[in-house]
Amino acid sequence: MAMNHLSLLRPLLCQSLVRQVRCPLVAATRLPILLPDTTSYPTACARLYATKKAKAKAKGQSAKMNINSALVEDIISLDEVKEDMTAVVSALKDDFTRNLSIRTSPGALDHIVVTTQDGKFPLNQLGQVSMKSSQFIMVNMSSFPEATAAATRALKESSMNLNPEVDGTIIKVPIPKVTREHRENLAKMAKQLSNKAKDSLRRVRSNAVTQAKKAKEGHSEDTIRLVEKQIQQMADNFAVDIDKQLAAKTKELLG
């Protein structure tokens, strides 16, 4: 009888054990359903962090750009620094016009400066410049005949590769054909002039920074640093302008 009871109870015990074993497995299979919710938190945190970082960066740039002129006017005049840098860029533009012209016209000689005993004068103030043909310019020096030799010398020493001929008070200026080699040489000269302009720009920046550092007494280091950054930013902007002028002139020269 005992054995019969055990045989009857065995199936019931087995079913109970199976339920206990299956329950953890079922619970385990349900866990991945929660994963999408949990994985969404890092993304939200990353976005929040990125937003805060972008705002902090923008705030820093704003602090760098917005400098109260009244706060720094007794340290250095930023307007004067800007004027000095502007003068450097303007001088480069004038050099490009005077020394790197390939146009055949009476105005092509306007940049020629004649050194006389009475001082330096533009060629077009001493003589009457006229265009006789696309390859020939004549300079009438009858108003200032004593400056004929000096004007001839100035034409020869220019960067235009000129070989003027003198006939009394008339200077005949044949315009040489612009070769590819001549264009390339002018482009190299443009590069040299732009490098010199950048050197001048760096000197203006260096002098301005030195002046700002001398005014540390009575001003916070943060204020001095902001002024220095503003000066550097101004120099960088003008350097970009120089590069643009060089690129435009090089394109003009090389065709």
Side-chain angles (χ1 to χ4, degrees), residues 65-209:
M65 293 293 298
N66 299 327
I67 301 178
N68 190 341
S69 58
L71 182 65
V72 299
E73 62 182 0
D74 57 341
I75 298 177
I76 190 173
S77 174
L78 295 179
D79 289 339
E80 291 182 1
V81 176
K82 185 176 182 179
E83 289 177 2
D84 292 341
M85 292 183 178
T86 301
V88 171
V89 177
S90 297
L92 175 64
K93 186 176 182 180
D94 291 341
D95 284 340
F96 280 173
T97 302
R98 289 195 306 267
N99 302 317
L100 304 178
S101 177
I102 58 175
R103 293 174 299 175
T104 303
S105 65
L109 302 182
D110 287 349
H111 69 280
I112 302 294
V113 177
V114 181
T115 302
T116 68
Q117 293 181 350
D118 297 326
K120 296 182 178 181
F121 302 92
L123 176 64
N124 57 4
Q125 289 186 9
L126 299 177
Q128 182 180 358
V129 183
S130 58
M131 193 84 181
K132 294 303 179 180
S133 71
S134 60
Q135 297 297 321
F136 184 75
I137 296 178
M138 186 177 73
V139 183
N140 189 338
M141 298 292 297
S142 57
S143 298
F144 297 93
E146 67 278 9
T148 301
T152 303
R153 183 169 57 254
L155 288 166
K156 288 182 178 180
E157 294 176 353
S158 71
S159 61
M160 299 181 65
N161 193 28
L162 302 176
N163 188 22
E165 300 174 1
V166 181
D167 183 8
T169 58
I170 301 297
I171 304 177
K172 301 176 182 179
V173 187
I175 304 298
K177 184 178 180 180
V178 180
T179 63
R180 185 66 182 180
E181 181 181 3
H182 182 56
R183 287 176 178 270
E184 291 175 353
N185 289 334
L186 291 179
K188 291 179 181 178
M189 186 178 296
K191 179 66 174 178
Q192 294 173 357
L193 291 174
S194 65
N195 287 338
K196 289 181 179 179
K198 285 187 177 181
D199 289 339
S200 299
L201 191 63
R202 282 189 286 267
R203 283 193 294 270
V204 173
R205 178 194 58 78
S206 179
N207 292 337
V209 170

Side-chain angles (χ1 to χ4, degrees), residues 44-59:
C45 292
R47 290 177 180 174
L48 180 60
Y49 174 75
T51 302
K52 289 184 177 180
K53 185 177 180 181
K55 289 182 179 179
K57 183 178 181 181
K59 183 178 180 181

Side-chain angles (χ1 to χ4, degrees), residues 207-251:
N207 292 337
V209 170
T210 300
Q211 182 180 347
K213 288 182 177 180
K214 289 181 179 179
K216 283 186 176 181
E217 185 176 354
H219 301 280
S220 68
E221 294 183 0
D222 289 341
T223 300
I224 299 298
R225 278 195 295 268
L226 286 174
V227 174
E228 292 176 6
K229 288 180 179 179
Q230 181 69 6
I231 294 171
Q232 181 62 57
Q233 185 176 6
M234 291 169 58
D236 292 341
N237 292 338
F238 280 103
V240 171
D241 194 1
I242 290 175
D243 289 337
K244 289 181 179 179
Q245 285 197 37
L246 174 61
K249 194 64 180 181
T250 301
K251 183 177 180 180

